[in-house]
Amino acid sequence: MRASIHTGTFLGLLFWGSVVFAQDRLEVRVEPAKASLKENIEGYIGDLGERDEQTLRRLAPALEEQARSAAEALGFYHARISSEVRPGASPTLVLRVVPGEPVRLRRVEIRIEGPAARLEAFRVPQSSRLRPGAQLNHGRYESAKSSIKSQASRLGFFSGHFTRQHLFIDPAANVADIELVYASGPRYRLGEVTFQGETPFDEAFMRRVVPFQAGDPYDSGQIAKLQDNLQTLGYFEGVRVDADPASISGEMVPVLVHLQMRKPRSFGIGLGFSTDVGPRGRANWTRHWANPQGHSYGVEMELSQPKQNIGLWYDIPLDPPMTDKLRFVGGYQYEELADTDTLSRLLKVGPEWHRRLDNDWQQIFSLKWQREEFRYGDDSGLSNLLLPGVAYSYLESDHPLDPSRGYRLQVEMAAASEALLSDANLIYSSIMLKGLTTLAGRHRLLGRLQFGGNFTDEYTTVPPSLRFFAGGDQSVRGYEYQTLSPTNSDGDHIGGRYMIASSLEYQYELRDKWRVATFVDQGNAFNSKSSPSLKTSAGFGVRWVSPVGPLRVDLAHGIDDGSFRLHFSMGPEL
């Protein structure tokens, strides 16, 4: 006997990953055991429901045929299937299956013809399970066809078709041949992009968002990227990009973009609490676009007992406008440091150039002028610095609020010179590394390492904002916020030239959204690199994953001074 199957005759017989578990009336026994065959038979037959013994006996021949079809879908054309009904209060139909030798592939020809054959991105389905000698599986044959058609649709071969698509089966010889030949036809091209909807932006600005040129080869990935670019801009409430092959003109696919503007202004306010600063409030106001070139501006404020600040910013989109911008910032901050008689009044203004590199690192070049009045106990000072700086950051994370794995790297450097409108020669640098991994689903390891240093011959003129302090929720727990630093003769914490802080934390997930944690922190801020005195703390805590990120409550013991401190904080762990 020889069979020829042209299309998806057996597609409905394959139920990988969707087995119905309500099998109270059915028991499938495969000898020798083959889990995939057992699951496919169970999935195809499905739930027998509440059947009595007589009904099951009447159904048995039909169910045997269904089981045979499910076995043939996996290449078992010589399966011997028998059945019996086991009586009782809940009668059960038992199917016994002896698979026999499977049909194996003898000849496999999968070929692409036309322009797609010369395109590296168009991949011919290749698998060890689609080679001569492999066991026949109708699902893999159908998957190969689907893969070819999907690629053709994604890459713009809209007139492509199979000139030959055959699956020849010879059960008597236990062999099968696959023949799939796809003629791609020409590759269509992307047409002009037309924007619809009331927008205040000029045409030149909108064109900078489009990641392709009219006439480029069609690629659905470029259409998706255009939609993502428009959403990332932050100007629109709704974005829909249509590139319908049905509207093809010649071999060009027109691209139609429907846009709905968001409200031009937004205002946000929030309240929070942490043991570092106590109760705090935040507010921001944003004008999302100010002119046809997409400029935007806004104001931000934060208030807490030790720190109050207000900042203004003005953004000019660069190219590409989704990620690159020129930002002008200015702000004023008043801060009482380390819960002692140390304070700072800081005025800062200057431009920043934000850019995302091709490797996804975030880069910021800045030129800030800052004027800072400060006091350390009875000593006071005034510092004027012009600080060119650079910062790099990189985040790899599998979730924005509650990742299970990932890492963050941040590097910042700035410098000042008396020859360039500054009161001191100074080099400032800081580095932070965080890493998170999850083992066996419930065991989480979180690590953090921070370094900082400033290098100057006139340290007494360095203001508090450029000195280093350790201790607190995000540093060395068990010690109060900013209290790990050198002190003056009056015991006021005045900050150090250098800083090291590290943490290793283990978390165990008790249940969904609840975790317990234990940790060890170590670090300090100091003036001498030769013999830093590091403080150590250890403790345990509880984590609850809220909609805005994990809430953390920790009880930490400062080992060096015997103190205990309760810490409360929230936000993403990377």
Side-chain angles (χ1 to χ4, degrees), residues 200-517:
F201 308 115
D202 59 32
E203 186 75 9
F205 174 75
M206 296 303 294
R207 294 294 168 192
R208 287 158 55 193
V209 183
V210 180
F212 54 83
Q213 300 291 328
D216 284 354
Y218 182 92
D219 187 331
S220 63
Q222 293 290 76
I223 302 300
K225 187 175 182 181
L226 172 58
Q227 174 139 348
D228 183 65
N229 287 352
L230 290 165
Q231 290 172 332
T232 302
L233 284 174
Y235 301 137
F236 306 108
E237 182 76 21
V239 176
R240 190 178 83 245
V241 180
D242 293 331
D244 187 2
S247 60
I248 289 173
S249 174
E251 293 182 359
M252 302 288 283
V253 182
V255 181
L256 186 60
V257 180
H258 306 268
L259 298 172
Q260 179 184 355
M261 297 298 297
R262 69 179 296 175
K263 293 181 179 180
R265 302 171 186 85
S266 65
F267 175 75
I269 190 168
L271 300 174
F273 177 87
S274 75
T275 44
D276 279 352
V277 298
R280 64 184 177 190
R282 290 181 177 177
N284 64 78
W285 179 90
T286 303
R287 180 66 157 96
H288 296 286
W289 67 90
N291 55 32
Q293 291 74 45
H295 295 193
S296 58
Y297 55 86
V299 58
E300 301 170 329
M301 293 191 341
E302 181 175 350
L303 301 175
S304 65
Q305 188 278 322
K307 181 189 295 187
Q308 303 92 49
N309 64 59
I310 182 169
L312 306 168
W313 56 267
Y314 188 97
D315 284 353
I316 301 174
L318 300 177
D319 194 14
M322 301 78 64
T323 59
D324 294 12
K325 63 188 176 185
L326 181 62
R327 166 170 282 198
F328 293 93
V329 298
Y332 175 79
Q333 174 178 290
Y334 174 85
E335 183 175 12
E336 297 175 2
L337 291 95
D339 199 25
T340 61
D341 196 14
T342 299
L343 59 84
S344 162
R345 297 182 179 90
L346 173 63
L347 178 66
K348 186 182 293 189
V349 64
E352 298 174 347
W353 175 31
H354 293 244
R355 183 187 178 202
R356 187 173 70 187
L357 305 180
D358 293 339
N359 56 12
D360 286 335
W361 278 80
Q362 300 291 327
Q363 172 187 273
I364 301 176
F365 287 118
S366 61
L367 181 63
K368 300 287 182 60
W369 175 83
Q370 69 173 52
R371 176 183 176 88
E372 186 168 1
E373 296 181 57
F374 55 91
R375 186 179 72 208
Y376 301 119
D378 295 330
D379 298 326
S380 60
L382 175 64
S383 169
N384 291 282
L385 297 173
L386 182 66
L387 291 162
V390 61
Y392 289 92
S393 64
Y394 183 87
L395 174 63
E396 181 75 32
S397 174
D398 60 0
H399 193 278
L401 293 178
D402 184 38
S404 61
R405 55 182 50 84
Y407 60 94
R408 178 187 290 273
L409 303 174
Q410 291 182 192
V411 181
E412 180 182 359
M413 292 190 67
S417 171
E418 291 178 347
L420 293 174
L421 306 177
S422 296
D423 294 338
N425 297 313
L426 172 70
I427 297 176
Y428 171 92
S429 64
S430 68
I431 301 173
M432 185 187 72
L433 305 91
K434 284 186 176 181
L436 171 67
T437 188
T438 300
L439 306 174
R442 291 179 176 270
H443 306 273
R444 296 162 58 91
L445 292 175
L446 177 65
R448 170 175 48 86
L449 192 59
Q450 294 173 270
F451 300 96
N454 57 51
F455 307 91
T456 178
D457 294 331
E458 304 170 79
Y459 188 66
T460 56
T461 64
V462 176
S465 64
L466 296 176
R467 297 190 181 193
F468 294 97
F469 299 82
D473 302 337
Q474 308 300 319
S475 182
V476 182
R477 286 163 286 189
Y479 299 89
E480 289 190 38
Y481 180 52
Q482 295 183 332
T483 58
L484 296 183
S485 85
T487 58
N488 62 13
S489 58
D490 297 324
D492 301 310
H493 296 279
I494 61 174
R497 290 173 178 256
Y498 313 104
M499 184 271 294
I500 295 176
S502 62
S503 176
L504 182 62
E505 179 170 309
Y506 166 75
Q507 300 176 6
Y508 178 76
E509 186 172 352
L510 291 172
R511 51 179 298 182
D512 187 36
K513 299 188 182 302
W514 286 95
R515 303 170 187 140
V516 292

Side-chain angles (χ1 to χ4, degrees), residues 5-9 14 110 129-130 136-147 164-168 177-180:
I5 300 167
H6 293 268
T7 56
T9 307
L14 299 169
I110 304 178
R129 298 178 177 182
L130 279 175
L136 170 66
N137 184 304
H138 291 268
R140 297 185 190 117
Y141 168 74
E142 295 294 340
S143 293
K145 290 199 303 181
S146 297
S147 173
R164 293 193 292 279
Q165 49 175 330
H166 302 298
L167 173 58
F168 299 100
D177 299 328
I178 289 177
E179 186 179 25
L180 288 176

Side-chain angles (χ1 to χ4, degrees), residues 51-93:
R51 307 280 186 171
D52 58 26
E53 181 179 342
Q54 183 178 357
T55 304
L56 288 177
R57 292 186 188 279
R58 189 171 65 251
L59 287 175
L63 296 179
E64 287 182 23
E65 286 306 308
Q66 291 181 10
R68 190 177 310 281
S69 296
E72 289 176 356
L74 298 184
F76 295 103
Y77 275 75
H78 304 288
R80 298 194 303 276
I81 301 174
S82 60
S83 65
E84 68 168 313
V85 176
R86 191 164 57 207
S90 299
T92 302
L93 175 68

